[in-house]
Amino acid sequence: MAQATFSVRMDETLKQQFDSLCSDFGMTASTAINVFARAVVRERRIPFEINAPEPELTRENAMLAFMNLRMQAKKNGLADMSLEEINEEIRRTRYGEGEME
């Protein structure tokens, strides 16, 4: 099998830590990268979860979310629902009783 070179730039401290950990595993960094690449190709996905941090919950963000919901409700013709209708929709959603009519 023909070999190709793969060059990656990373923080020097991170590289030292990675090299050291790979050595503890009994492999080189190059072997570890190959293991990772084979897993990605075999599974056709990144073999671990990548998440964004949760947004900071602030009064400003909460109000922005609320205003967006109000605009969506108005756009979808739901802005004039009564409190009873809203509570019924919440109840149906909680207990899986189907869509609102």
Side-chain angles (χ1 to χ4, degrees), residues 19-65:
D19 286 338
S20 177
L21 188 58
C22 288
S23 179
D24 291 348
F25 292 149
M27 67 175 82
T28 65
S30 180
T31 300
I33 296 297
N34 274 286
V35 168
F36 171 75
R38 288 177 194 278
V40 169
V41 170
R42 180 181 61 250
E43 297 178 27
R44 300 186 53 78
R45 67 180 187 89
I46 301 296
F48 51 84
E49 190 173 336
I50 299 173
N51 292 325
E54 289 292 324
E56 186 178 332
L57 185 58
T58 63
R59 181 175 178 82
E60 182 180 330
N61 288 343
M63 285 302 295
L64 183 60

